[in-house]
Amino acid sequence: MAGGGKHTPPKDFVCPITGHLFDDPVTLETGQTYERRAIQEWLDRGNSICPITRHQVQNSHLPKTNHVLKRLIASWQEQNPGSAIPCQSGDQHVEPELEAMIKPEIVPVTSPNSVINQAVMDRTTTELCHAITKLCMSEVLKDSEMAVLQIERFWQEMGMDLDLDAQTMLSKPSVIHGFVEILLNSIDPQVLKSTVFLLSDLGSRDRAVIQTLTQVDSNLECIVALFKKGLFEAVVLIYLLRPSIPRMKEMEMVESLLTVINKKDEEMIKICLKPKTASVILLQQILHCNEESVVSSIVGSIASSKEIQTIIGSLESELTEERIAAIGILVKCMQEEGKCRNTIADKVELAPVLDSFINVSDGDRFVMVQFFSELVKLKRRKLNEQILQMIKDGGSFSTMHSLLVYLQTAPPDQCPAVAGLLLQLDLMAEPRKMSIYREEAVDAIISCLRNSESPAVQIAAAETIVALQGRFTASGKPLTRPFLLKHAGLERSYRLLMRKEQLSNISGELKDVSEEERAADAWERKMAFVLASHEFGLLFEAFSEGIKSRHAELSSACFVAATWLIYMLGVLPDTGIRGAARVCLLSRFISIFKSAKDIEDKSLSLLALKSFMQDPEGLQDLSSYMKDIWKGLRELKRCSPLAIEILKVLCEGQGSSADLWNHKELLQVDSSENGEVLSIACFKDKIFSGHSDGTIKVWNGRGNILHLIQEIREHTKAVTSLSILQSGERLYSGSLDKTARVWSIGNEVIHCIQVHDMKDQVHNLVVANSISCFIPQGAGVKVYHQFHSNFPFCS
């Protein structure tokens, strides 16, 4: 008796393929009987053997209906009305041998209404129901374990054709709790793997499964414990459960994650997500715990082992989330253990990363920008430029355009890194040509540097400029400050750092150091020119504001960046920017020199002052601060050759340095009603002053009293320069009214004898022998032959 107390038909009355009573039985030449539709479908699929005997079927045409058997079945049905028609129950199961033979043949389904397919579905659905019942109701662990294996076999066989009703049955909380009971009690590795596989696959399809699992806190602890004991497939289920970062850190599963990352995929069962992928994503999340000791420990383990190469390989993953996670891990590795960037640079394939840039969120884009920015902080300048070229040209889309679009909408804290990377990519082309990328990048950096509402953004911008100098240690730290100290004559700090780096050099160190140094110099010149010349030195105004900031980190970064650019202005051809830098920063560097306690800061400020002294105007401006810097220079000259050099320049032409410094103020005259004094000249006992309102004043300086003897206002705008030709006793004045005038110097007063239209504003005028030169409003210098009658143009 079976099927609820009703008689079941004899085995010979049931088709071994469909599992149902015969309706149209046919007996093959092999002696086996089948339902006509089922065996016809079998043969139509190209099979030429009997499913049971596996003997060749010679006649492809099916015989006539077996009427004898059909009558016997009809007679049995009359005697047993309402009897159960079995699918797979008791003795009516399809023979195991037949099942093994049929199943491989029915994989290529041709129709959802296929007789064979429907028969198999009926059998497996009934089998699934029985297995689920056994899993949830049986108190015998062995029976529950067998039920799990049966359910897994059903799941694997159905694959993409999984019935939605079956998935719904398996996703019920009672079934999920049954699986958890297996995880808690079973010690069979295969059963545990099957359970994790089923929960993971169900969880990936139905979020309700994950919600059921997370309702009990101990479920996660159980799964993590199994994972740490070697059930590595459980990492996929942990990933689906999305535990918090503090929770993952507490569970100490980093070692197991690294083990999975290093394993080959074929060593673990196939699951909805590769265990390696889940491990990479979870590891990246743990690295964002912001606990320095934890991050340092994890990075140390990754950077010193072969896991880093596996993580580099994840950059080529088909799954974007894995690629982004791998990028985040590599960024942390380069920031914490900088020497691993050499390995990354040698092994990385950038094209998949670049292709992902436009399809990810802004947060992920910033991680990618950080990755590229860190990657080009190699000690080898030429390799850095090769990587920059790969970033620029390696993707399917324009990297520079994508970065520009991102920069225009990026949050302020992300702008410095994005702008810095965009500027470096732009410099791979001719730096003297106009470029929208360059303009936008430098504008963004200056804007961030002036963002007083966010000191963190200002610091990031200043540090970006320092790094743009392009020289780095083997660990990726900028060498800007040590290089400046070397130029300032303090080589000890530089040598100590270089010696430390030399002791830990990686294999394959450069053989041609001079070639590398030439490449570094060329890059430094290009970068300095682009930064300093933007908007005629606009960056120096931002530096001036940053240096006086109360945030020490910002002030220090701006000081180093400004010193570097001012030093480079002395190396680059003069385009007039040095004057703009001097106006913005001279007083700042004087103040630093006076107040700094550190000898290195004093020396760096002197390096900038030396660059200013290369111009006559700069030397003249610096002379007005002699009283402020004299004491510091004398103290510093014992340890700084630069201090001695500056003292020598400032004292040149003086009989005694003591006479230069030992002086007192005799008098002071207020002439503010005529505006600022923009120029001054002396001849014999007369002093001539030019004022911003166009006035020229003549003073008598006999004795200790200054007498005004003449005041003239023939220029309509500011008198910017006064020059005297000693031999001719002539005074020359230049003005913003685009004229130059020649004055005759008499015994008491002066009078104008010539007026010349210069067609440009005169910003500075110099007369010597037969040559007159002046600086116009634009770039360059205009030179004239000088005669008493006129100033004919020379060049």
Side-chain angles (χ1 to χ4, degrees):
M1 298 293 292
K6 297 178 181 179
H7 288 287
T8 56
K11 181 179 179 182
D12 290 340
F13 291 2
V14 177
C15 174
I17 294 179
T18 65
H20 293 282
L21 283 174
F22 284 117
D23 180 57
D24 186 5
V26 292
T27 303
L28 300 185
E29 57 198 67
T30 59
Q32 298 297 322
T33 304
Y34 302 98
E35 180 67 35
R36 181 181 294 277
R37 287 187 304 155
I39 193 62
Q40 186 65 59
E41 183 179 335
W42 169 269
L43 296 174
D44 289 345
R45 291 185 182 184
N47 300 303
S48 59
I49 58 174
C50 174
I52 297 292
T53 65
R54 311 301 287 176
H55 293 159
Q56 192 75 21
V57 177
Q58 301 296 332
N59 191 354
S60 58
H61 297 288
L62 295 179
K64 294 180 179 180
T65 301
N66 187 333
H67 292 286
V68 174
L69 180 58
K70 190 172 176 65
R71 284 195 301 274
L72 290 174
I73 294 172
S75 175
W76 180 84
Q77 287 180 311
E78 289 177 2
Q79 297 174 12
N80 298 277
S83 297
I85 308 299
C87 176
Q88 281 192 10
S89 174
D91 292 339
Q92 278 67 41
H93 279 253
V94 177
E95 294 293 337
E97 295 81 0
L98 176 60
E99 190 174 6
M101 294 176 190
I102 293 178
K103 284 181 180 176
E105 303 290 345
I106 64 174
V107 173
V109 178
T110 56
S111 168
N113 298 320
S114 166
V115 176
I116 296 176
N117 293 333
Q118 189 59 49
V120 172
M121 282 295 296
D122 290 344
R123 288 197 306 273
T124 51
T125 301
T126 303
E127 182 181 312
L128 175 64
C129 292
H130 290 176
I132 290 174
T133 302
K134 192 182 296 183
L135 171 67
C136 297
M137 304 299 294
S138 177
E139 297 182 0
V140 180
L141 178 60
K142 193 66 177 177
D143 290 344
S144 298
E145 290 177 332
M146 290 301 297
V148 168
L149 296 177
Q150 286 178 321
I151 294 170
E152 189 220 2
R153 180 168 58 82
F154 165 81
W155 191 274
Q156 295 277 20
E157 287 172 356
M158 296 309 298
M160 296 301 295
D161 299 316
L162 183 68
D163 184 67
L164 184 59
D165 292 337
Q167 180 180 321
T168 303
M169 285 190 294
L170 288 171
S171 299
K172 289 181 179 179
S174 58
V175 180
I176 301 304
H177 292 320
F179 285 133
V180 173
E181 287 294 322
I182 293 295
L183 293 179
L184 289 169
N185 297 305
S186 179
I187 58 172
D188 187 321
Q190 186 56 49
V191 172
L192 292 172
K193 283 186 179 183
S194 298
T195 306
V196 166
F197 164 77
L198 289 167
L199 286 173
S200 300
D201 233 10
L202 284 166
S204 67
R205 296 168 184 252
D206 189 348
R207 191 63 195 168
V209 173
I210 301 302
Q211 292 174 352
T212 302
L213 287 172
T214 53
Q215 287 173 354
V216 182
D217 289 342
S218 59
N219 287 347
L220 177 62
E221 296 173 3
C222 167
I223 296 166
V224 171
L226 291 171
F227 172 58
K228 291 166 70 174
K229 289 178 182 178
L231 184 60
F232 295 129
E233 290 82 359
V235 71
V236 177
L237 189 53
I238 297 171
Y239 163 76
L240 293 171
L241 292 174
R242 306 283 182 180
S244 66
I245 293 174
R247 189 90 183 273
M248 286 193 289
K249 183 176 70 69
E250 290 172 5
M251 292 180 175
E252 299 179 345
M253 53 184 188
V254 172
E255 185 177 346
S256 298
L257 290 174
L258 292 176
T259 302
V260 175
I261 289 172
N262 202 38
K263 276 184 170 292
K264 296 180 180 178
D265 292 333
E266 54 266 24
E267 295 179 19
M268 288 176 281
I269 62 173
K270 291 184 179 180
I271 208 162
C272 61
L273 186 71
K274 292 180 180 178
K276 174 193 165 186
T277 299
S279 297
V280 169
I281 296 170
L282 291 174
L283 185 62
Q284 187 264 344
Q285 292 173 359
I286 295 174
L287 278 172
H288 276 72
C289 71
N290 295 323
E291 191 170 317
E292 188 174 343
S293 59
V294 174
V295 173
S296 180
S297 173
I298 295 173
V299 167
S301 300
I302 296 173
S304 60
S305 62
K306 58 184 178 180
E307 279 84 3
I308 193 166
Q309 296 190 25
T310 308
I311 292 170
I312 293 171
S314 290
L315 297 179
E316 302 179 51
S317 170
E318 295 179 0
L319 189 65
T320 302
E321 189 177 3
E322 181 180 354
R323 288 202 296 268
I324 297 300
I327 291 170
I329 294 172
L330 295 175
V331 168
K332 283 288 185 182
C333 287
M334 289 188 285
Q335 290 173 342
E336 297 287 332
E337 194 71 30
K339 291 171 188 174
C340 69
R341 63 170 42 83
N342 294 284
T343 302
I344 298 171
D346 289 338
K347 304 289 185 182
V348 70
E349 177 60 47
L350 293 177
V353 181
L354 292 166
D355 290 341
S356 303
F357 191 83
I358 63 173
N359 298 319
V360 297
S361 66
D362 283 351
D364 291 339
R365 283 195 187 99
F366 184 57
V367 174
M368 296 169 72
V369 168
Q370 288 181 306
F371 174 69
F372 294 137
S373 300
E374 288 292 334
L375 194 59
V376 293
K377 291 181 180 178
L378 292 164
K379 185 177 179 181
R380 295 169 282 181
R381 180 69 250 163
K382 294 180 72 175
L383 182 55
N384 278 337
E385 294 183 21
Q386 290 175 14
I387 294 175
L388 283 169
Q389 197 67 53
M390 290 167 58
I391 296 171
K392 183 179 179 181
D393 302 330
S396 304
F397 308 94
S398 170
T399 304
M400 294 182 66
H401 179 72
S402 300
L403 283 171
L404 178 62
V405 173
Y406 175 36
L407 177 63
Q408 293 169 341
T409 58
D413 60 322
Q414 298 180 9
C415 285
V418 180
L421 179 61
L422 182 59
L423 184 57
Q424 292 181 78
L425 295 176
D426 185 76
L427 242 65
M428 299 308 294
E430 171 55 49
R432 292 185 180 272
K433 293 181 179 178
M434 294 298 294
S435 167
I436 183 63
Y437 302 112
R438 186 180 313 154
E439 296 296 315
E440 289 276 352
V442 182
D443 277 339
I445 292 173
I446 294 175
S447 177
C448 291
L449 202 55
R450 286 180 154 173
N451 187 357
S452 58
E453 296 181 358
S454 179
V457 172
Q458 291 179 290
I459 292 168
E463 290 178 344
T464 296
I465 296 172
V466 171
L468 289 174
Q469 187 247 8
R471 286 184 172 90
F472 304 95
T473 66
S475 57
K477 304 298 181 184
L479 276 172
T480 310
R481 184 181 175 93
F483 259 77
L484 291 173
L485 289 173
K486 178 183 177 183
H487 291 303
L490 296 183
E491 297 193 18
R492 185 166 178 243
S493 299
Y494 176 76
R495 286 199 304 268
L496 287 174
L497 180 60
M498 291 298 99
R499 189 178 299 119
K500 180 181 178 182
E501 291 294 326
Q502 189 67 28
L503 291 174
S504 56
N505 275 341
I506 59 168
S507 59
E509 185 61 41
L510 294 174
K511 296 179 180 179
D512 191 353
V513 178
S514 60
E515 184 180 350
E516 179 68 17
E517 189 60 31
R518 284 194 297 271
D521 286 341
W523 174 267
E524 187 176 18
R525 286 170 177 265
K526 288 193 295 185
M527 182 60 73
F529 173 80
V530 167
L531 291 172
S533 61
H534 182 77
E535 296 290 344
F536 201 71
L538 185 61
L539 186 58
F540 296 110
E541 294 182 16
F543 282 147
S544 179
E545 298 168 9
I547 287 174
K548 66 179 181 181
S549 171
R550 57 188 175 85
H551 295 278
E553 191 175 356
L554 172 60
S555 178
S556 177
C558 285
F559 171 60
V560 172
T563 303
W564 167 59
L565 274 187
I566 292 170
Y567 167 75
M568 291 304 298
L569 289 180
V571 177
L572 297 168
D574 186 19
T575 56
I577 303 171
R578 201 179 296 155
R582 185 176 67 251
V583 170
C584 296
L585 292 169
L586 177 60
S587 61
R588 294 277 183 264
F589 280 98
I590 292 291
S591 177
I592 292 172
F593 178 75
K594 288 170 56 181
S595 61
K597 304 298 182 184
D598 183 30
I599 190 174
E600 291 186 355
D601 286 346
K602 284 183 176 289
S603 297
L604 291 179
S605 61
L606 282 185
L607 186 64
L609 294 178
K610 179 188 174 184
S611 183
F612 289 144
M613 289 169 58
Q614 295 182 24
D615 293 331
E617 295 85 354
L619 183 58
Q620 184 177 350
D621 289 348
L622 188 59
S623 299
S624 63
Y625 292 98
M626 292 296 184
K627 188 176 180 180
D628 297 321
I629 65 175
W630 166 246
K631 181 180 178 182
L633 285 171
R634 292 193 63 181
E635 292 175 351
L636 199 61
K637 70 179 184 179
R638 290 171 293 181
C639 56
S640 172
L642 187 57
I644 299 173
E645 184 181 345
I646 292 177
L647 276 172
K648 188 181 296 184
V649 172
L650 294 177
C651 296
E652 188 175 355
Q654 301 295 326
S656 168
S657 62
D659 295 336
L660 178 65
W661 307 115
N662 296 331
H663 65 277
K664 64 179 180 179
E665 184 180 300
L666 296 176
L667 56 95
Q668 180 175 337
V669 177
D670 182 12
S671 56
S672 58
E673 69 271 11
N674 299 109
E676 297 181 36
V677 178
L678 300 180
S679 55
I680 194 165
C682 300
F683 178 72
K684 294 182 180 180
D685 58 351
K686 291 185 177 64
I687 298 173
F688 308 93
S689 60
H691 298 259
S692 60
D693 66 350
T695 301
I696 297 177
K697 293 184 178 184
V698 183
W699 308 80
N700 187 307
R702 293 190 184 97
N704 293 336
I705 301 175
L706 199 61
H707 295 283
L708 178 64
I709 59 177
Q710 187 180 5
E711 182 174 327
I712 312 161
R713 189 174 179 182
E714 295 191 18
H715 285 292
T716 59
K717 292 186 179 180
V719 179
T720 57
S721 54
L722 295 171
S723 182
I724 294 177
L725 189 64
Q726 300 288 347
S727 60
E729 295 187 351
R730 294 285 186 269
L731 173 68
Y732 299 84
S733 62
S735 171
L736 296 182
D737 64 6
K738 300 183 182 180
T739 66
R741 295 175 181 262
V742 184
W743 307 80
S744 174
I745 302 175
N747 292 330
E748 290 296 333
V749 296
I750 63 173
H751 61 275
C752 181
I753 59 175
Q754 292 177 18
V755 179
H756 300 280
D757 183 8
M758 310 306 285
K759 295 184 174 57
D760 283 293
Q761 291 182 347
V762 179
H763 287 268
N764 199 2
L765 176 69
V766 177
V767 179
N769 297 326
S770 62
I771 298 295
S772 299
C773 309
F774 80 91
I775 300 174
Q777 182 176 7
V781 176
K782 291 193 174 183
V783 183
Y784 294 82
H785 283 303
Q786 186 269 119
F787 295 98
H788 290 297
S789 59
N790 51 30
F791 285 168
F793 178 71
C794 176
S795 63

